[in-house]
Amino acid sequence: MPTFFVRLPYFKEFGVHPPRLLVSRVGGFFMDHTVAMQRAVALAEKGLGKTAPNPIVGAVIIDAAGTVVGEGFHDRVNSPDHAEVVAIKAAGNKAAGSTIVVTLEPCNHTGSTGPCVQAIIAAGITTVVFAVSDPNSTAAGGADALRAAGITVIAGVLKDEAAFSNRAWLMKIKKGRPFFTWKVAATLDGKVAAADGTSKWISNETSRADVQVLRRQADAILVGTNTVITDDPHLIPRGSFAGYGANPIRVICGEQELPEGAQVFDAAAQTLLVKSKDLDVLVAKLDELGVNHVFVEAGPTLGSAMLDGCLLDELVIYQAPTLLGTGKHFFTFDYPTTITDQMRMDHLSTVVLDGDVKSVYRIRNGE
């Protein structure tokens, strides 16, 4: 049976596609690499929220027969080891003469750990297959160093899928700032609160559980001061996340004074107050933290300012099958507009969650 894929919409920022679904496959040398890379991408995603300021990376080691003898992913919360080193340690002596399949080009520099290139050479690995070339000039050059050592290098296997999974870090390297995802829960007519200010709950329990997963995968959660004053959110991932690691950093932006007893001041996570409306100040503070991905749960004021200022990269909107008619819109320009002022987005995915519709859009940032 031939191999074929179901594609999701085009993700233009990196010239890549979101993950493809493998429907069926045949055997063969190339397909061994492809299937191993799919596993490596899945492993890499286990590191979401655990690797900043480093990228997420997954690695799989297979022997000459195509058998997995070691695998791993980068988890900076629990170990400094990069994914390649984790996999090599798991493989032990079986790494000699094997192939390592890794989502990102192995690094060729010494940071908090030694170069992965040297670990691969020392392990006796004879073939390296990677998906995405490292765009970080400090760590790049791994492929050339491996080839110089006589190791076979194959680049670009499932690069679209690996790049999509690692888009937050890749965007950070490209733009010199974190990747921002804005989460919105709204009615079909775009309201996030009723005319009297009430807003709990617009989305259903299934949607709210899905939000906890997205929180857990982020490095920081951002809201404005008005959200803290109005809703007193805890901003801690709920659900079955015991042992996952430190909670995302809570970031509060704005000039309003906050209640001393607000939940964001408890010991469940680090909290950073950015007492400014200047978004450049906010970005600078986030850069100091070294975060890759910021999950924005701000209301219309901060969210609209960030969107209008080309600071948001992704919109995740949960739309409940309800109408309010009057109330607070989730987004508004603060100046008169015409139809030519529409802000275009690229649709990435849609799923129905017990009646709510969750859609993800890539924001073009003025393109």
Side-chain angles (χ1 to χ4, degrees):
M1 183 178 294
T3 300
F4 62 99
F5 295 93
V6 177
R7 287 193 182 274
L8 296 178
Y10 191 64
F11 191 83
K12 294 181 180 177
E13 185 66 44
F14 304 110
V16 303
H17 299 275
R20 298 183 290 178
L21 174 64
L22 179 64
V23 180
S24 62
R25 68 181 181 89
V26 292
F29 186 66
F30 177 74
M31 284 311 303
D32 285 342
H33 290 174
T34 303
V35 173
M37 187 64 78
Q38 287 178 318
R39 173 60 179 166
V41 170
L43 286 168
E45 291 176 353
K46 291 185 176 184
L48 288 168
K50 296 180 176 182
T51 67
N54 298 339
I56 62 168
V57 182
V60 175
I61 298 177
I62 54 178
D63 63 17
T67 302
V68 174
V69 295
E71 61 180 28
F73 63 95
H74 185 39
D75 178 1
R76 192 167 177 265
V77 171
N78 295 303
S79 169
D81 289 343
H82 290 187
E84 297 95 321
V85 174
V86 175
I88 288 169
K89 288 181 177 179
N93 293 335
K94 294 179 180 179
S98 69
T99 295
I100 187 167
V101 179
V102 60
T103 56
L104 186 67
E105 178 184 5
C107 66
N108 191 36
H109 82 298
T110 299
S112 58
T113 64
C116 290
V117 164
Q118 294 305 315
I120 290 169
I121 294 170
I125 292 171
T126 55
T127 302
V128 174
V129 179
F130 69 87
V132 179
S133 297
D134 195 331
N136 186 352
S137 58
T138 302
D144 290 340
L146 290 166
R147 291 189 180 102
I151 293 174
T152 300
V153 177
I154 301 171
V157 175
L158 293 190
K159 63 179 180 180
D160 295 353
E161 289 77 358
F164 185 83
S165 293
N166 207 14
R167 64 193 180 280
W169 181 80
L170 290 169
M171 179 72 79
K172 186 178 78 168
I173 297 299
K174 178 181 179 180
K175 293 194 172 182
R177 63 159 177 78
F179 184 93
F180 292 97
T181 296
W182 188 20
K183 185 273 295 184
V184 172
T187 61
L188 289 177
D189 52 346
K191 304 300 192 303
V192 293
D196 64 358
T198 56
S199 60
K200 293 185 178 181
W201 294 101
I202 290 176
S203 57
N204 61 32
E205 291 185 7
T206 304
S207 293
R208 298 199 296 274
D210 188 71
V211 169
Q212 304 315 308
V213 177
L214 299 184
R215 281 182 170 182
R216 183 71 273 173
Q217 294 176 342
D219 303 307
I221 299 173
L222 170 66
V223 298
T225 51
N226 193 60
T227 296
V228 175
I229 293 168
T230 303
D231 297 336
D232 190 24
H234 197 200
L235 302 181
I236 297 299
R238 301 186 298 273
S240 303
F241 296 110
Y244 190 90
N247 285 318
I249 300 168
R250 298 174 292 200
V251 182
I252 319 300
C253 181
E255 297 176 339
Q256 298 182 86
E257 292 298 320
L258 302 178
E260 291 184 2
Q263 292 191 88
V264 293
F265 293 129
D266 69 9
Q270 177 184 349
T271 298
L272 172 68
L273 298 181
V274 182
K275 294 186 176 182
S276 175
K277 293 182 178 180
D278 188 332
L279 296 179
D280 289 337
V281 173
L282 170 64
V283 171
K285 293 292 185 182
L286 290 168
D287 283 341
E288 290 176 9
L289 295 174
V291 299
N292 296 335
H293 190 185
V294 180
F295 193 56
V296 182
E297 297 198 50
T301 301
L302 179 56
S304 295
M306 294 182 71
L307 187 54
D308 197 23
C310 295
L311 268 184
L312 294 178
D313 303 294
E314 200 168 67
L315 171 67
V316 178
I317 183 167
Y318 298 84
Q319 287 187 286
T322 60
L323 298 169
L324 270 174
T326 59
K328 184 179 291 186
H329 290 273
F330 81 88
F331 173 72
T332 179
F333 287 110
D334 61 359
Y335 49 82
T337 62
T338 68
I339 197 66
T340 58
D341 294 317
Q342 294 179 86
M343 187 172 290
R344 297 289 183 181
M345 300 185 186
D346 296 314
H347 174 258
L348 298 183
S349 64
T350 291
V351 63
V352 179
L353 302 173
D354 287 342
D356 287 357
V357 177
K358 172 191 175 185
S359 294
V360 182
Y361 298 90
R362 177 241 177 203
I363 299 170
R364 296 185 186 177
N365 280 326
E367 296 169 25

